[in-house]
Amino acid sequence: MATTTLIGATATELARLVRERGASAVEVVEAHLRRIEAVDGTLNAVVALDAERALAAARRADRGGDGPLRGVPFTAKDNFEAAGLEMAIGASERVGVVPETDATAVARMRAAGAILLGKTNCPPYGGGIETDNPVYGRTSNPYDPARTCGGSSGGEGAIVAAAGSACGVGTDSGGSIRIPAHFCGLAALKPTAGRIPVTGVIDDEGQIGALGDPRTQVGPLARSVEDLALLLGVLAGPDGRDGGVPPVPLGNAAEVDVRGLRVAAFAAYDHDEADAATAAVLDRAAAALHEAGAIVEEVAPPAGGHDITIEVWSSYGGDLDSLGLYRLLRRWDAYRAEMLAFGAGHDVLLSPVSAGPAPPHGALSGHTGVDPTSFTTLHSLTGWPAATVRCDSSPEGLPIGMQVVALPWRDDVALAAAGALERALGGWRPAPL
């Protein structure tokens, strides 16, 4: 089968092709390895390629297996442990560190038949709004290499969007999955907090966890909403090691009726407002959900979520005493309660992911004052599930995604509404790279 057909297929389509013997797993993996070779000199997205072991896994997959992702190539952000692959996480002091085990998310992907191609670039220790570090350098956007892919799951966003990987896993504590997905035109999900174990995900303090930072979640990036639902089914559920993951059953997005869903749409939050092109896409997205039978009103959620997040970020410097931290957490609790009261009248929150499309490299760093996270951080504070789906393009041809948020544990509702937008407005489109 032609390489262009294989790399343009979704993860769901590839799994079906391999299962029905329309293509071999070896053909699928070889096509994606060739694509990485063709594009990664421009993107600099893949920092640890595992080609030989990927091909060996593909040969095993062709001999049998019945996992739902059998033969599907994937990548993982470099803050996930993957046995035998260097895990520098963009930090000079970690060069040469090679884990002996897989993170739970990586292990579950492999157990489902998916084939790890390699690890992808991120800011140092996996946190930041632009993907650049002193070990591997900067990752570029496949729609315009002069622009950022965002962060911190920027390498994942770039290589999946450029069709070098069918799907991937990243982490998100304030927008780190959603912003790269928006900048790179992908579908993605920050799931409900505690839906997917974070075992084997590392930052500068070591293993992350629900008490250390309840905002940080593992989530999938892909090129279709259908893929997100498939991957969520593989990744979700307790692993016996992460104490922050309760045994809450998954709903089925395919069984959610969009008709009658109450949608709150808003183009401004706290200190940010969508630019004209993004606001126009939001209007089209709101109209699409209305056409699908949802009840849409223009109303914003309670203010202050981004301001509280800025205080949380500021506390990392060590200047906040224990009483100050305690009071900050109490304000966080109060905000979560306020959001739940707002959510009693709304099933879905629809907004931009960020105020505009991907800016040039460097625009989100230093003292420019440009913060792309005003629309995303509130949903990390609440822990609500937040999907991203491409809905249109800017005048320059850059992707513009929308953020589709549902109430806690209703990841199925977020995915159902995102799927309705994808069907109406087009979703992922190949990059010109």
Side-chain angles (χ1 to χ4, degrees), residues 129-359:
I129 54 178
E130 290 209 50
T131 297
D132 192 2
N133 63 66
V135 177
Y136 301 118
R138 184 176 72 190
T139 301
S140 296
N141 191 307
Y143 290 87
D144 180 354
R147 295 176 183 267
T148 182
C149 59
S152 58
S153 306
E156 273 305 301
I159 201 62
V160 174
S165 173
C167 56
V169 288
T171 55
D172 186 314
S173 63
S176 286
I177 287 173
R178 290 163 285 169
I179 289 169
H182 159 57
F183 285 171
C184 297
L186 295 175
L189 177 70
K190 180 201 76 65
T192 299
R195 178 68 83 180
I196 299 174
V198 296
T199 307
V201 178
I202 306 300
D203 66 7
D204 56 329
E205 295 291 334
Q207 170 66 55
I208 69 170
L211 292 179
D213 188 351
R215 297 172 307 127
T216 300
Q217 303 303 317
V218 168
L221 299 91
R223 293 193 295 273
S224 78
V225 175
E226 183 181 27
D227 286 357
L228 299 181
L230 176 62
L231 294 172
L232 183 62
V234 167
L235 295 166
D239 67 349
R241 297 177 64 193
D242 183 345
V245 181
V248 180
L250 276 175
N252 186 349
E255 297 176 356
V256 174
D257 193 346
V258 175
R259 291 175 298 177
L261 288 179
R262 302 161 299 169
V263 179
F266 56 103
Y269 185 75
D270 276 2
H271 310 294
D272 214 350
E273 184 172 358
D275 65 19
T278 303
V281 175
L282 174 65
D283 288 343
R284 288 194 285 277
L289 289 179
H290 175 73
E291 287 295 317
I295 303 163
V296 182
E297 65 171 320
E298 186 177 334
V299 58
H306 189 55
D307 290 336
I308 292 173
T309 301
I310 291 172
E311 290 188 63
V312 172
W313 287 337
S314 298
S315 74
Y316 296 165
D319 295 331
L320 196 64
D321 62 23
S322 59
L323 179 59
L325 178 60
Y326 176 74
R327 289 172 173 167
L328 172 58
L329 293 175
R330 293 292 290 266
R331 292 199 300 277
W332 186 343
D333 282 337
Y335 181 76
R336 287 164 63 93
E338 195 175 0
M339 281 291 290
L340 284 170
F342 177 80
H346 302 92
D347 304 298
V348 172
L349 278 60
L350 176 68
S351 78
V353 179
S354 193

Side-chain angles (χ1 to χ4, degrees), residues 349-407:
L349 278 60
L350 176 68
S351 78
V353 179
S354 193
H361 289 295
L364 306 179
S365 302
H367 303 286
T368 62
V370 178
D371 182 350
T373 63
S374 289
F375 290 97
T376 56
T377 51
L378 68 158
H379 308 304
S380 297
L381 287 185
T382 63
W384 293 11
T388 298
V389 61
R390 182 174 182 172
C391 291
D392 213 325
S393 304
S394 72
E396 309 96 324
L398 300 169
I400 295 180
M402 288 293 120
Q403 183 174 219
V404 186
V405 180
L407 297 174

